Amino acid sequence: MGNVFEEIIELKRDKNAIILSHFYQDEKIQMIADFIGDSLELSRKAAVIDKDIIVFCGVHFMAETAKLLNPTKKVLLPDLNAGCSLADNCSATELLAFKLKNPQYKIVTYINCSAEVKALSDVVCTSSNAKQIIESFPINQQILFAPDRNLGAYLQTQVSHDLEIWDGACIVHEAFSIQKIIDIRLKFPEALILAHPESESSILKLAQFIGSTSQMIRFVTEHPKETFIVATEAGILLKMKELAPHATIIPAPVYEDNTCACSECAYMKVNTLEKVRDCLLNESPEIVIDSNIAELARKPIDKMLTLSI
Ligand code: 13P
Ligand code: SF4
């Protein structure tokens, strides 16, 4: 393992590259990354990178967003199979059909979608700025929120706009067992429950804090309480434990028993340290986006960044 770390450091230097990582990546990848962030922070960072190569350790829509925001750079994704169940739940064909049938709607899409879907959108948002983005529209504006039904339902409790909500979901955030979370809470009555808004409403109702990955990390780091039950992908625990070493952090358990009894995103986990090395070595797989799609897809992301300064 030590050798792979060294090889990556050397390749990064020789090729003038930078490694960006999401919190859900494998621990070893997070350890070698130059920058780790939530979807919004990664977008902001990607836009201002002046290196020749961006190795994006996350899933496909994230690497695509980096390419859209910094098109002259070579953006590499260690494994092109790093997809996303939410992105898969909304195709450009289906969204176009909705738009043609309902031209009065503004389309607000969660960043977890393809470049083709972004190209059909009025504005993009992430879990950390979705409320702000929706509230940028007049109150009587008809809005379609796609593709996450859970984030959409949560937003509907936060804004006065009447939202039409697409029927997509994240399999990782729909895997939590409410009964098992309640059982843990009975054992640790002091514990605060934190949840990502991609989780189901039954989980969100139990939570004392709802936010993006970075917002949850900040909450744990800054909160005087010491025990937290965390309902999101287990990769987040690395940074939480590093920044709040004295806290007891318990990953929310899933319905089915799996190796860690926590929820892991199989898409995120297809990237490995070896694949990071290989993609740097081969400068492949590279993210390539059709120029017509890119031109249209960049606009709603730029709009998001302008609205959420
Ligand atoms: P954030 O990091 O923006 O909270 O997003 C979580 C997620 O599910 C990424 O796919
Ligand atoms: Fe997609 Fe869910 Fe994995 Fe995030 S955690 S990449 S939303 S499948």
Side-chain angles (χ1 to χ4, degrees):
M1 192 177 82
N3 285 343
V4 185
F5 271 112
E6 282 159 26
E7 283 175 81
I8 291 173
I9 290 165
E10 209 168 298
L11 281 162
K12 228 173 45 163
R13 191 186 52 228
D14 294 350
K15 301 206 175 215
N16 194 28
I18 186 166
I19 301 178
L20 307 187
S21 170
H22 189 266
F23 295 111
Y24 296 165
Q25 288 290 280
D26 179 84
E27 292 195 354
K28 290 175 212 153
I29 293 180
Q30 291 192 52
M31 282 158 65
I32 197 97
D34 298 293
F35 180 87
I36 314 175
D38 69 4
S39 309
L40 181 61
E41 292 163 343
L42 285 164
S43 304
R44 286 200 179 117
K45 180 73 182 174
V48 297
I49 281 170
D50 59 2
K51 302 273 184 189
D52 297 325
I53 294 180
I54 301 172
V55 178
F56 204 106
C57 298
V59 290
H60 193 272
F61 76 80
M62 294 179 171
E64 237 179 19
T65 305
K67 180 71 183 176
L68 290 167
L69 287 167
N70 208 337
T72 62
K73 308 301 174 192
K74 188 176 268 190
V75 177
L76 307 175
L77 179 63
D79 189 327
L80 285 181
N81 294 315
C84 170
S85 62
L86 264 173
D88 289 347
N89 282 168
C90 183
S91 72
T93 316
E94 288 171 299
L95 185 57
L96 180 60
F98 178 93
K99 269 182 74 128
L100 293 173
K101 215 168 144 195
N102 305 281
Q104 74 280 21
Y105 277 79
K106 291 288 182 193
I107 314 291
V108 179
T109 48
Y110 191 32
I111 199 163
N112 300 36
C113 63
S114 67
E116 288 78 3
V117 165
K118 288 185 176 79
L120 293 167
S121 306
D122 292 288
V123 62
V124 162
C125 69
T126 76
S127 56
S128 62
N129 63 16
K131 181 173 183 277
Q132 200 182 353
I133 298 293
I134 288 175
E135 286 179 338
S136 71
F137 288 99
I139 197 75
N140 56 352
Q141 175 62 57
Q142 287 183 274
I143 294 172
L144 170 73
F145 183 80
D148 188 359
R149 61 175 175 241
N150 294 315
L151 177 56
Y154 170 63
L155 286 168
Q156 190 60 93
T157 69
Q158 303 293 303
V159 300
S160 306
H161 299 70
D162 194 13
L163 303 178
E164 182 71 31
I165 298 169
W166 199 268
D167 192 19
C170 162
I171 48 173
V172 178
H173 288 88
E174 284 206 333
F176 298 116
S177 157
I178 188 154
Q179 193 50 54
K180 288 186 187 174
I181 294 176
I182 291 170
D183 291 347
I184 295 183
R185 189 73 197 288
L186 290 172
K187 272 194 224 157
F188 298 91
E190 285 289 294
L192 294 179
I193 299 173
L194 283 64
H196 195 279
E198 289 173 17
S199 311
E200 288 172 295
S201 61
S202 55
I203 306 287
L204 297 182
K205 278 191 194 122
L206 279 184
Q208 281 76 49
F209 182 78
I210 297 165
S212 79
T213 49
S214 284
Q215 289 169 337
M216 281 193 269
I217 292 168
R218 220 168 297 132
F219 183 88
V220 166
T221 311
E222 291 168 3
H223 203 281
K225 279 251 166 88
E226 298 210 325
T227 309
F228 304 93
I229 302 167
V230 179
T232 193
E233 212 270 356
I236 199 173
L237 300 176
L238 180 71
K239 188 54 82 187
M240 278 187 178
K241 287 178 179 166
E242 182 191 318
L243 296 179
H246 305 298
T248 302
I249 299 165
I250 306 163
V254 293
Y255 286 106
E256 302 295 329
D257 282 334
N258 69 0
T259 46
C260 65
C262 55
S263 200
E264 287 204 308
C265 176
Y267 301 105
M268 285 277 181
K269 268 35 183 202
V270 296
N271 294 326
T272 62
L273 203 59
E274 287 72 20
K275 288 179 193 172
V276 173
R277 176 202 53 204
D278 295 346
C279 82
L280 263 171
L281 192 64
N282 304 321
E283 299 190 19
S284 167
E286 185 184 353
I287 299 292
V288 182
I289 307 171
D290 172 88
S291 58
N292 295 320
I293 298 287
E295 203 188 320
L296 292 170
R298 200 172 299 126
K299 287 181 190 155
I301 310 174
D302 283 342
K303 188 163 178 197
M304 168 187 79
L305 293 176
T306 310
L307 286 171
S308 57
I309 282 172

